[in-house]
Amino acid sequence: MNAVLHRIRTLFLFLVDGGASSEGVPPRVLQEIARREDAAEQLIGWVQLAIVVAFAALYFAAPRAEGSSGQNFVPATLFAYFLFTVLRIGLSYRFTLPWWYLILSIFTDVLLLCGLIFSFHIQYSQPVAFSLKVPTMVYLFIFIALRALRFDPRYVLVAGLTAAGGWFLMVLYALQSDMGEMHITRNFVEYLTSNSILIGAEIDKIVTLLGVTFILSLALYRARFMGFIAARSSSAAEDLRRFFAPEVFNSITNGVELPGSGHCETRQAAVLFVDVRGFTPIAESLPAATVMQVLAHYQQTALAEIQRFDGRVDKFLGDGILATFGAVHTSETYAADALRAAEAVVAALDTTAIEIAGIGWPGVFRIGAAVAAGPLTVGVIGASGRLEYTVIGNPVNLAAKLENANKAQRTRALTDLATFEIARAQGYSADLPLRHGTAVAGMAHLIDLAVVA
């Protein structure tokens, strides 16, 4: 019973979605797919136009065929198909062609080609069976293959079934017509050298048309199914990119295997910690929408400065920001870059304080920042169902405590002397005021501080 239901569902998906469910695909991706399908219809139209122009050029350039005494329908058919194709191209650029118009277009393609093939027996004053041997029938395969440009197996299937049906009707008409010089034969030589009909040959043509149709449809069915899976994965990956530094994103998406809990490495790096002064009590007095707008403006401003100095935001901690320099990618100037970024973040938020006040923040918007450098462990923590890529180590704890020490020291940004000396060795040239032997809350020993801002 389940197998039957599965087959019914598969058939339903084929008829509705062309072989793949759009469930789970974001609307923006579906819009892009629809846009590309519209572009595919335009491409199909241009290819058809190129075919009819090339066919017409060859027809009029080639010497006139001998033995044709009847009416010649080729020029009229080519002209009618040219007009139809130009109209179709024009409409495809004005709006999305509806499904029924595409089906009508397929019917028209096959009807005009079959009509052209059928007319050859009139042009050459031969029995109807004469048309069945015209090599122009191979163009039916081109019309079937053209529909594959849309990447939708349903239209390939319609084109193939229509072509096979059209040829079947032509064979049926030939068998039902006044036989005259025609007769059914099983002799292949007689079939080739006379106007006789070889049933097996006509069956071969129809089977070949159907075979090409079903093979192309199956290929497109599988490709479309994989395409939707790829679209979901690509969309998820693009969304994931916004949550991680580029190096972390690449290690997750391009790695041989997915990093697991405990996967880590130790690097010399620096940590920048930023926090908003008095955020909690002020935020409680403001509308939630205002708080979120302020946070977004503050975080975007800080992020731009951090990235300008080659930093990577490890995480947003409410009103706090934890950024690293040289942790997720090696750097020879990690400490110097972190101190420059701290200065730049403080300056940028001072500059934008008026804008933040305009959003609804009362008073002056101020932040505290701190930088600490040293060995950092970079890796994956968490359980199998919830992993997080982060940094741990003494510099993280020290930076958090130094940021908090800004309140007692009445400063805007601090670092410790060891980090300052590393930064100077890396090219940091600012002459920072020092405060030796300073007590910092949470630290068991006195710290030599350098005032960044």
Side-chain angles (χ1 to χ4, degrees), residues 78-132:
L78 289 176
F79 183 69
Y81 191 62
F82 175 82
L83 292 180
F84 174 77
T85 304
V86 170
L87 174 63
R88 184 177 175 281
I89 293 174
L91 292 176
S92 69
Y93 278 95
R94 297 195 63 181
F95 54 81
T96 299
L97 298 178
W99 67 268
W100 58 265
Y101 186 88
L102 299 180
I103 300 297
L104 178 62
S105 175
I106 292 172
F107 288 163
T108 304
D109 291 342
V110 175
L111 177 63
L112 286 174
L113 183 58
C114 287
L116 176 63
I117 295 171
F118 182 80
S119 71
F120 276 91
H121 87 277
I122 300 174
Q123 180 180 351
Y124 289 90
S125 302
Q126 295 292 320
V128 179
F130 179 80
S131 295
L132 300 180

Side-chain angles (χ1 to χ4, degrees), residues 275-351:
D275 194 49
V276 179
R277 288 284 163 263
F279 179 81
T280 301
I282 297 176
E284 290 176 349
S285 66
L286 297 175
T290 300
V291 174
M292 297 305 292
Q293 290 180 32
V294 169
L295 277 177
H297 191 91
Y298 145 66
Q299 290 167 345
Q300 186 59 50
T301 302
L303 176 62
E305 299 303 322
I306 291 169
Q307 291 180 336
R308 187 159 68 93
F309 291 97
D310 206 25
R312 302 290 186 267
V313 171
D314 182 79
K315 57 178 61 70
F316 291 103
L317 306 164
D319 62 309
I321 299 175
L322 175 62
T324 62
F325 297 77
V328 296
H329 68 293
T330 56
S331 171
E332 299 297 327
T333 57
Y334 56 89
D337 291 337
L339 290 182
R340 294 187 186 105
E343 293 176 335
V345 169
V346 171
L349 287 169
D350 283 347
T351 302

Side-chain angles (χ1 to χ4, degrees), residues 26 30 34 136 145 154 227 294 296 331 364-365 434:
L30 292 177
T136 308
R154 293 172 297 181
V294 169
S331 171
V364 180
F365 186 85
L434 301 179

Side-chain angles (χ1 to χ4, degrees), residues 189-212:
V189 174
E190 184 181 9
Y191 163 71
L192 290 177
T193 58
S194 68
N195 284 323
S196 58
I197 300 175
L198 180 62
I199 299 298
E202 304 311 322
I203 292 177
D204 285 345
K205 294 175 186 177
I206 294 174
V207 169
T208 305
L209 286 169
L210 293 176
V212 169

